[in-house]
Amino acid sequence: MKEFKVKVPATVANLGPGFDVLGMAVEIYLTASVKEKEGFVIEPEEGDALSGAVVYIADENKMQLPVNITIEQGPDAVPRKSGLGSSAAARVAGIMIAGKLLGLDLDSLDIARKAAELEGHPDNAVPAAVGGITICYKSAEGVEYKKIDPAPGLKVVIAVPKLQTDTEEARKLLPEKVSVEDAVYSVSRASLLIKALVEGDFDSLSEAMKDRLHQPCRKKLIPGFDEIVTESLRAGAYGTAISGSGPCVFSFAPEKTAAKAGEAMVNVFKDKGVESEYIVTEIAKQGAQIIE
Ligand code: HSE
């Protein structure tokens, strides 16, 4: 067997108003290497999303995995339970590894659909598999997506606090019902967001990244969230929102103020007694890849 690696981008889901719909791959990567190792059998431990996905695909296809391989996940570049899609990235990696080991012909839509099925929502899994910024929706065939092509000039600034949020727990905070007024509020911002990104109307982003579906009820898990938004905008960010279900917070910003926006976010966390760091990154145009 030839040894190979998989490289899968982290993702920012929701992008503010696009709850369970919009997602974006960023240039922070999970890597995993597949190597030969005599007599090794993959037996996923509880919570091991990557090996779990490998075994899931083998079982689904009623195929045996080779018993002489080991999968090693690289240094933890995508922090777990942080709102950066670490489990979706791990599942995409596992599905691609299984596909390669078993000779399955999985295209990026197959991989995205499988990973979305395992995740329960598509907005991290799809951009992790296909890259870029994606709009996800469901048809009779399953999850579908369209990519949007953002205008140039956007940096992505991510504040990573030393906190963890369990997505399942964060989903329990969602309201069971929303008013038509709140739904209209969010749909209008999501529509505005797409136009702002595609046409480079970045001054609209601060308004376009507001929503009333998930951020109002989840922000209590993020100390100082409202101040983080205010201070990052004051420091020059275009717009700021919760990354996925949090606790990471991200901004779109121009290059010249990206670091300042990151510092502003970290300073608010510090005032609230929370240690954090910031990362300035880019939208990852390419999704998950196998490197031979
Ligand atoms: N759309 C999902 C949620 C993303 O907000 O619960 C989780 O990363």
Side-chain angles (χ1 to χ4, degrees), residues 18-43:
F19 178 73
D20 276 3
V21 172
L22 298 176
M24 168 174 75
V26 291
E27 290 187 347
I28 300 170
Y29 294 95
L30 173 152
T31 55
S33 323
V34 181
K35 295 182 181 146
E36 275 185 301
K37 187 171 178 183
E38 208 46 52
F40 187 84
V41 182
I42 301 173
E43 282 174 351

mmCIF file of all heavy atoms in Angstrom, residues 18-43:
data_model
loop_
_atom_site.group_PDB
_atom_site.id
_atom_site.type_symbol
_atom_site.label_atom_id
_atom_site.label_comp_id
_atom_site.label_asym_id
_atom_site.label_seq_id
_atom_site.Cartn_x
_atom_site.Cartn_y
_atom_site.Cartn_z
ATOM 1 N N GLY A 18 -26.945 32.676 8.503
ATOM 2 C CA GLY A 18 -27.199 31.494 7.662
ATOM 3 C C GLY A 18 -27.191 30.215 8.466
ATOM 4 O O GLY A 18 -26.502 29.252 8.105
ATOM 5 N N PHE A 19 -28.000 30.171 9.523
ATOM 6 C CA PHE A 19 -28.000 29.027 10.437
ATOM 7 C C PHE A 19 -28.275 27.709 9.701
ATOM 8 O O PHE A 19 -29.295 27.579 9.012
ATOM 9 C CB PHE A 19 -29.053 29.237 11.542
ATOM 10 C CG PHE A 19 -29.133 28.079 12.487
ATOM 11 C CD1 PHE A 19 -28.123 27.866 13.411
ATOM 12 C CD2 PHE A 19 -30.172 27.177 12.419
ATOM 13 C CE1 PHE A 19 -28.161 26.780 14.265
ATOM 14 C CE2 PHE A 19 -30.224 26.083 13.269
ATOM 15 C CZ PHE A 19 -29.217 25.890 14.197
ATOM 16 N N ASP A 20 -27.334 26.766 9.842
ATOM 17 C CA ASP A 20 -27.421 25.430 9.207
ATOM 18 C C ASP A 20 -27.423 25.488 7.676
ATOM 19 O O ASP A 20 -27.742 24.485 7.021
ATOM 20 C CB ASP A 20 -28.662 24.647 9.688
ATOM 21 C CG ASP A 20 -28.418 23.904 11.010
ATOM 22 O OD1 ASP A 20 -27.321 24.046 11.584
ATOM 23 O OD2 ASP A 20 -29.330 23.179 11.464
ATOM 24 N N VAL A 21 -27.083 26.642 7.111
ATOM 25 C CA VAL A 21 -27.141 26.818 5.650
ATOM 26 C C VAL A 21 -25.785 27.278 5.091
ATOM 27 O O VAL A 21 -25.250 26.683 4.155
ATOM 28 C CB VAL A 21 -28.237 27.847 5.280
ATOM 29 C CG1 VAL A 21 -28.190 28.191 3.792
ATOM 30 C CG2 VAL A 21 -29.614 27.326 5.663
ATOM 31 N N LEU A 22 -25.244 28.355 5.663
ATOM 32 C CA LEU A 22 -24.004 28.919 5.129
ATOM 33 C C LEU A 22 -22.791 28.395 5.896
ATOM 34 O O LEU A 22 -22.846 28.215 7.111
ATOM 35 C CB LEU A 22 -24.026 30.447 5.222
ATOM 36 C CG LEU A 22 -25.128 31.156 4.440
ATOM 37 C CD1 LEU A 22 -25.085 32.659 4.700
ATOM 38 C CD2 LEU A 22 -24.985 30.872 2.949
ATOM 39 N N GLY A 23 -21.716 28.166 5.161
ATOM 40 C CA GLY A 23 -20.473 27.726 5.800
ATOM 41 C C GLY A 23 -19.291 28.117 4.935
ATOM 42 O O GLY A 23 -19.433 28.342 3.726
ATOM 43 N N MET A 24 -18.122 28.178 5.561
ATOM 44 C CA MET A 24 -16.928 28.673 4.853
ATOM 45 C C MET A 24 -15.701 27.878 5.309
ATOM 46 O O MET A 24 -15.456 27.725 6.512
ATOM 47 C CB MET A 24 -16.764 30.156 5.231
ATOM 48 C CG MET A 24 -15.455 30.785 4.851
ATOM 49 S SD MET A 24 -15.494 32.560 5.196
ATOM 50 C CE MET A 24 -15.345 32.589 6.973
ATOM 51 N N ALA A 25 -14.943 27.397 4.342
ATOM 52 C CA ALA A 25 -13.682 26.722 4.665
ATOM 53 C C ALA A 25 -12.597 27.771 4.882
ATOM 54 O O ALA A 25 -12.577 28.792 4.186
ATOM 55 C CB ALA A 25 -13.293 25.800 3.510
ATOM 56 N N VAL A 26 -11.729 27.543 5.856
ATOM 57 C CA VAL A 26 -10.631 28.483 6.127
ATOM 58 C C VAL A 26 -9.294 27.739 6.106
ATOM 59 O O VAL A 26 -9.254 26.513 6.249
ATOM 60 C CB VAL A 26 -10.823 29.216 7.486
ATOM 61 C CG1 VAL A 26 -11.998 30.176 7.416
ATOM 62 C CG2 VAL A 26 -10.970 28.255 8.654
ATOM 63 N N GLU A 27 -8.222 28.515 5.960
ATOM 64 C CA GLU A 27 -6.901 27.890 5.765
ATOM 65 C C GLU A 27 -6.259 27.460 7.088
ATOM 66 O O GLU A 27 -5.158 27.897 7.450
ATOM 67 C CB GLU A 27 -6.001 28.828 4.964
ATOM 68 C CG GLU A 27 -6.468 28.949 3.516
ATOM 69 C CD GLU A 27 -5.517 29.744 2.631
ATOM 70 O OE1 GLU A 27 -4.613 30.428 3.157
ATOM 71 O OE2 GLU A 27 -5.707 29.686 1.405
ATOM 72 N N ILE A 28 -6.991 26.661 7.816
ATOM 73 C CA ILE A 28 -6.487 26.006 9.040
ATOM 74 C C ILE A 28 -6.833 24.537 8.790
ATOM 75 O O ILE A 28 -7.968 24.255 8.396
ATOM 76 C CB ILE A 28 -7.264 26.505 10.288
ATOM 77 C CG1 ILE A 28 -7.119 28.009 10.459
ATOM 78 C CG2 ILE A 28 -6.830 25.756 11.548
ATOM 79 C CD1 ILE A 28 -8.055 28.600 11.511
ATOM 80 N N TYR A 29 -5.862 23.630 8.967
ATOM 81 C CA TYR A 29 -6.110 22.276 8.448
ATOM 82 C C TYR A 29 -5.962 21.158 9.467
ATOM 83 O O TYR A 29 -5.077 21.198 10.317
ATOM 84 C CB TYR A 29 -5.150 21.987 7.284
ATOM 85 C CG TYR A 29 -5.418 22.873 6.090
ATOM 86 C CD1 TYR A 29 -4.697 24.051 5.908
ATOM 87 C CD2 TYR A 29 -6.418 22.558 5.186
ATOM 88 C CE1 TYR A 29 -4.959 24.894 4.832
ATOM 89 C CE2 TYR A 29 -6.683 23.387 4.101
ATOM 90 C CZ TYR A 29 -5.954 24.550 3.928
ATOM 91 O OH TYR A 29 -6.224 25.378 2.864
ATOM 92 N N LEU A 30 -6.825 20.181 9.320
ATOM 93 C CA LEU A 30 -6.625 18.885 9.972
ATOM 94 C C LEU A 30 -5.849 18.033 8.964
ATOM 95 O O LEU A 30 -6.213 18.011 7.777
ATOM 96 C CB LEU A 30 -7.981 18.239 10.256
ATOM 97 C CG LEU A 30 -8.009 16.801 10.794
ATOM 98 C CD1 LEU A 30 -9.265 16.606 11.613
ATOM 99 C CD2 LEU A 30 -7.945 15.755 9.706
ATOM 100 N N THR A 31 -4.797 17.371 9.434
ATOM 101 C CA THR A 31 -4.110 16.427 8.544
ATOM 102 C C THR A 31 -4.096 15.055 9.218
ATOM 103 O O THR A 31 -4.057 14.963 10.443
ATOM 104 C CB THR A 31 -2.640 16.834 8.263
ATOM 105 O OG1 THR A 31 -1.970 16.998 9.491
ATOM 106 C CG2 THR A 31 -2.554 18.101 7.449
ATOM 107 N N ALA A 32 -4.160 14.040 8.424
ATOM 108 C CA ALA A 32 -4.045 12.679 8.953
ATOM 109 C C ALA A 32 -3.227 11.862 7.968
ATOM 110 O O ALA A 32 -3.371 12.018 6.753
ATOM 111 C CB ALA A 32 -5.421 12.057 9.144
ATOM 112 N N SER A 33 -2.329 11.022 8.504
ATOM 113 C CA SER A 33 -1.488 10.180 7.640
ATOM 114 C C SER A 33 -1.922 8.738 7.781
ATOM 115 O O SER A 33 -2.196 8.274 8.893
ATOM 116 C CB SER A 33 -0.015 10.220 8.069
ATOM 117 O OG SER A 33 0.330 11.482 8.506
ATOM 118 N N VAL A 34 -1.942 8.064 6.669
ATOM 119 C CA VAL A 34 -2.275 6.634 6.663
ATOM 120 C C VAL A 34 -0.999 5.882 6.289
ATOM 121 O O VAL A 34 -0.381 6.162 5.258
ATOM 122 C CB VAL A 34 -3.401 6.339 5.649
ATOM 123 C CG1 VAL A 34 -3.763 4.858 5.662
ATOM 124 C CG2 VAL A 34 -4.628 7.190 5.972
ATOM 125 N N LYS A 35 -0.581 4.988 7.188
ATOM 126 C CA LYS A 35 0.686 4.266 6.973
ATOM 127 C C LYS A 35 0.487 2.782 7.190
ATOM 128 O O LYS A 35 -0.433 2.379 7.890
ATOM 129 C CB LYS A 35 1.731 4.744 7.996
ATOM 130 C CG LYS A 35 2.135 6.172 7.839
ATOM 131 C CD LYS A 35 3.202 6.523 8.853
ATOM 132 C CE LYS A 35 3.573 7.987 8.670
ATOM 133 N NZ LYS A 35 3.918 8.647 9.893
ATOM 134 N N GLU A 36 1.427 2.003 6.620
ATOM 135 C CA GLU A 36 1.374 0.564 6.865
ATOM 136 C C GLU A 36 1.881 0.254 8.264
ATOM 137 O O GLU A 36 2.835 0.866 8.732
ATOM 138 C CB GLU A 36 2.259 -0.158 5.848
ATOM 139 C CG GLU A 36 1.496 -0.416 4.576
ATOM 140 C CD GLU A 36 2.297 -1.224 3.590
ATOM 141 O OE1 GLU A 36 3.371 -0.758 3.204
ATOM 142 O OE2 GLU A 36 1.825 -2.305 3.217
ATOM 143 N N LYS A 37 1.197 -0.669 8.913
ATOM 144 C CA LYS A 37 1.680 -1.122 10.212
ATOM 145 C C LYS A 37 1.181 -2.549 10.402
ATOM 146 O O LYS A 37 -0.033 -2.789 10.363
ATOM 147 C CB LYS A 37 1.143 -0.217 11.319
ATOM 148 C CG LYS A 37 1.729 -0.519 12.673
ATOM 149 C CD LYS A 37 1.335 0.545 13.671
ATOM 150 C CE LYS A 37 1.889 0.213 15.029
ATOM 151 N NZ LYS A 37 1.469 1.185 16.027
ATOM 152 N N GLU A 38 2.098 -3.457 10.581
ATOM 153 C CA GLU A 38 1.741 -4.871 10.619
ATOM 154 C C GLU A 38 0.745 -5.188 11.732
ATOM 155 O O GLU A 38 0.916 -4.759 12.878
ATOM 156 C CB GLU A 38 3.041 -5.693 10.812
ATOM 157 C CG GLU A 38 2.989 -7.083 10.221
ATOM 158 C CD GLU A 38 2.413 -7.122 8.808
ATOM 159 O OE1 GLU A 38 2.888 -6.370 7.927
ATOM 160 O OE2 GLU A 38 1.467 -7.892 8.603
ATOM 161 N N GLY A 39 -0.292 -5.892 11.382
ATOM 162 C CA GLY A 39 -1.213 -6.427 12.391
ATOM 163 C C GLY A 39 -2.079 -5.403 13.098
ATOM 164 O O GLY A 39 -2.649 -5.677 14.149
ATOM 165 N N PHE A 40 -2.234 -4.206 12.541
ATOM 166 C CA PHE A 40 -3.022 -3.159 13.209
ATOM 167 C C PHE A 40 -4.466 -3.208 12.715
ATOM 168 O O PHE A 40 -4.727 -3.376 11.545
ATOM 169 C CB PHE A 40 -2.400 -1.787 12.895
ATOM 170 C CG PHE A 40 -3.022 -0.671 13.657
ATOM 171 C CD1 PHE A 40 -2.588 -0.390 14.944
ATOM 172 C CD2 PHE A 40 -4.038 0.090 13.109
ATOM 173 C CE1 PHE A 40 -3.161 0.635 15.672
ATOM 174 C CE2 PHE A 40 -4.617 1.122 13.826
ATOM 175 C CZ PHE A 40 -4.171 1.382 15.111
ATOM 176 N N VAL A 41 -5.403 -3.071 13.620
ATOM 177 C CA VAL A 41 -6.827 -3.065 13.232
ATOM 178 C C VAL A 41 -7.446 -1.766 13.744
ATOM 179 O O VAL A 41 -7.185 -1.365 14.884
ATOM 180 C CB VAL A 41 -7.576 -4.267 13.861
ATOM 181 C CG1 VAL A 41 -9.035 -4.287 13.406
ATOM 182 C CG2 VAL A 41 -6.907 -5.581 13.502
ATOM 183 N N ILE A 42 -8.228 -1.123 12.897
ATOM 184 C CA ILE A 42 -8.850 0.139 13.340
ATOM 185 C C ILE A 42 -10.030 -0.159 14.249
ATOM 186 O O ILE A 42 -11.001 -0.774 13.841
ATOM 187 C CB ILE A 42 -9.345 0.964 12.125
ATOM 188 C CG1 ILE A 42 -8.183 1.279 11.202
ATOM 189 C CG2 ILE A 42 -10.006 2.262 12.577
ATOM 190 C CD1 ILE A 42 -8.615 1.923 9.911
ATOM 191 N N GLU A 43 -9.901 0.265 15.491
ATOM 192 C CA GLU A 43 -11.007 0.104 16.440
ATOM 193 C C GLU A 43 -11.268 1.458 17.082
ATOM 194 O O GLU A 43 -10.592 1.842 18.040
ATOM 195 C CB GLU A 43 -10.646 -0.934 17.506
ATOM 196 C CG GLU A 43 -10.791 -2.342 16.988
ATOM 197 C CD GLU A 43 -10.300 -3.386 17.961
ATOM 198 O OE1 GLU A 43 -9.691 -3.030 18.985
ATOM 199 O OE2 GLU A 43 -10.514 -4.569 17.674
#
